[in-house]
């Protein structure tokens, strides 16, 4: 992507995302994630009506009367984006691709976070983590993250999601809200690593989809290439059986991913190119807030 194209895309995403963060997601982000972390406040004597589950039994035993622990929500959140920048994200219909969608999602969520004075950070991964930007505050920092997602040129084409999850579990010491953004192509067996990361942090998965490649057109014999492995092969798209088998395989892959994430108990929201993603995201955050009440 040349500098002029990158600048235009970046400006368009900035304008739209700032507006969406204010007009559409205003309040939703804060409500959905506030309280993701808590910190110890004080120990005080038990009073009628207090939750007995908060009793500090060690202090109670020493003092000879019941005391409870009090906690308060952390005033600031750390919001982190773990973004797949492997080669499969470079394809899409028209002049947009999945990487553009990743950048727009990061932008909207980042501007929502900084409106609440929260920190935002970023890791870009392929078959290893290629770029890590520690969490920080401010609009300038948020724009840096968006620019990285949109314009970064990865060293590798493949995907190693388990390694990226392990890396982030080691790198983030403080509890964070993590958005994993990926098309999950060649994601591998990630359940153990994802479960461990979700045990330490508030993990939300945003699987990306491109409807333009989920079905094959009737275009005769076509040479196709795996974006990540580089493997080339011929496909007879004039065959109805081939087209149906391909579409069924895509549906099965999407359903299997959804089932895997559901088994892990991880919130996920599939998003597609061409969708009204901000409003879909807003509805998702509202549902999440209602479940937490």
């Amino acid at each position: 992507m040349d500098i002029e194209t990158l600048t235009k895309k970046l400006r368009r995403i900035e304008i739209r995302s700032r507006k969406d963060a204010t007009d559409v997601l205003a309040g939703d982000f804060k409500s959905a994630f506030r309280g993701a972390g808590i910190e110890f406040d004080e120990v005080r004597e038990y009073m009628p009506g207090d939750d007995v589950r908060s009793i500090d039994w060690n202090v109670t035993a020493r003092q000879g009367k019941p005391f409870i622990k009090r906690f308060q929500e952390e005033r600031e959140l750390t919001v982190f984006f773990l973004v797949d920048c492997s080669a499969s994200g470079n394809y899409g219909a028209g002049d947009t691709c999945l990487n553009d969608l990743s950048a727009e999602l990061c932008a909207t969520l980042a501007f929502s976070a900084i409106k609440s004075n929260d920190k935002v950070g970023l890791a870009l991964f392929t078959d290893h983590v290629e770029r890590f930007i520690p969490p920080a505050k401010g609009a300038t920092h948020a724009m840096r993250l968006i620019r990285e997602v949109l314009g970064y040129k990865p060293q590798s084409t493949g995907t190693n999601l388990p390694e990226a999850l392990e890396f982030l579990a080691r790198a983030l010491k403080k509890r964070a809200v993590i958005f994993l953004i990926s098309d999950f192509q060649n994601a591998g067996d990630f359940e153990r690593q994802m479960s461990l990361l979700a045990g330490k942090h508030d993990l939300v998965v945003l699987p990306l989809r491109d409807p333009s490649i989920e079905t094959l057109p009737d275009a005769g014999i076509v040479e196709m290439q795996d974006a990540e492995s580089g493997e080339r092969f011929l496909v007879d798209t004039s065959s109805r059986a081939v087209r149906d088998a391909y579409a069924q395989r895509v549906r099965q892959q999407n359903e299997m991913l959804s089932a895997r994430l559901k088994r892990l108990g991880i919130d996920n929201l599939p998003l597609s190119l061409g969708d009204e993603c901000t409003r879909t995201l807003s509805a998702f955050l509202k549902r999440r807030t209602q479940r937490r009440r």
Side-chain angles (χ1 to χ4, degrees):
M1 186 186 305
D2 59 62
I3 296 297
E4 184 179 357
T5 302
L6 175 60
T7 302
K8 287 181 179 178
K9 281 192 173 186
L10 187 63
R11 183 59 177 160
R12 177 184 59 80
I13 288 175
E14 179 191 8
I15 293 172
R16 177 172 175 175
S17 299
R18 282 183 182 273
K19 185 175 187 301
D20 287 345
T22 301
D23 297 346
V24 183
L25 295 185
D28 294 338
F29 186 90
K30 181 175 180 179
S31 300
F33 297 109
R34 194 60 58 184
I38 58 174
E39 57 185 6
F40 175 74
D41 186 18
E42 65 176 354
V43 174
R44 67 160 172 79
E45 191 172 345
Y46 176 85
M47 298 176 61
D50 286 335
D51 189 344
V52 295
R53 293 174 296 181
S54 300
I55 292 177
D56 186 325
W57 295 106
N58 290 329
V59 176
T60 296
R62 289 198 302 270
Q63 298 295 328
K65 53 185 177 182
F67 279 76
I68 66 167
K69 290 181 179 179
R70 294 190 63 197
F71 296 86
Q72 63 181 10
E73 293 182 354
E74 292 184 8
R75 291 178 175 83
E76 298 174 357
L77 293 178
T78 297
V79 177
F80 204 90
F81 303 106
L82 180 59
V83 180
D84 181 354
C85 62
S86 59
S88 58
N90 289 325
Y91 293 87
D95 61 350
T96 59
C97 63
L98 292 182
N99 285 346
D100 295 335
L101 179 55
S102 295
E104 194 153 337
L105 289 170
C106 287
T108 303
L109 292 166
F111 285 129
S112 298
I114 63 174
K115 282 177 66 67
S116 299
N117 200 37
D118 296 325
K119 296 179 180 179
V120 290
L122 171 71
L124 299 175
F125 73 95
T126 53
D127 55 11
H128 64 286
V129 174
E130 296 199 11
R131 182 65 59 91
F132 178 84
I133 302 177
K137 295 182 180 180
T140 300
H141 180 73
M143 285 302 300
R144 178 194 173 192
L145 303 190
I146 300 160
R147 187 164 52 249
E148 287 286 350
V149 177
L150 193 60
Y152 182 73
K153 296 180 179 179
Q155 303 165 8
S156 300
T157 59
T159 305
N160 190 332
L161 178 56
E163 180 177 306
L165 295 169
E166 285 186 353
F167 173 92
L168 205 58
R170 295 191 303 268
L172 295 182
K173 306 303 181 184
K174 183 180 178 181
R175 184 173 174 84
V177 175
I178 299 173
F179 290 95
L180 168 58
I181 303 174
S182 173
D183 63 3
F184 283 85
Q185 295 298 313
N186 304 313
D189 296 325
F190 55 77
E191 280 87 345
R192 181 181 65 83
Q193 293 86 352
M194 188 173 287
S195 181
L196 290 173
L197 187 66
K200 295 174 60 179
H201 303 279
D202 193 347
L203 178 61
V204 176
V205 175
L206 303 178
L208 303 187
R209 296 172 181 170
D210 180 359
S212 71
I213 63 172
E214 293 190 351
T215 58
L216 291 176
D218 184 352
I221 297 178
V222 176
E223 183 181 44
M224 304 183 74
Q225 180 180 19
D226 187 301
E228 299 193 7
S229 69
E231 179 185 0
R232 294 178 179 271
F233 45 91
L234 296 176
V235 178
D236 183 6
T237 63
S238 63
S239 168
R240 179 63 179 270
V242 169
R243 297 198 304 273
D244 288 348
Y246 176 86
Q248 182 179 11
R249 181 182 177 188
V250 172
R251 285 194 301 271
Q252 289 175 340
Q253 288 177 335
N254 291 338
E255 291 168 358
M256 286 175 60
L257 174 61
S258 179
R260 293 168 77 181
L261 295 173
K262 185 176 181 179
R263 284 196 300 270
L264 293 173
I266 294 174
D267 276 351
N268 71 97
L269 177 66
L271 295 166
S272 296
L273 278 175
D275 285 353
E276 189 63 46
C277 290
T278 302
R279 296 194 181 280
T280 304
L281 189 59
S282 177
F284 168 78
L285 295 177
K286 283 184 170 69
R287 292 194 300 271
R288 198 174 197 273
T289 299
Q290 292 171 354
R291 291 202 309 270
R292 291 166 64 89
R293 286 175 178 169

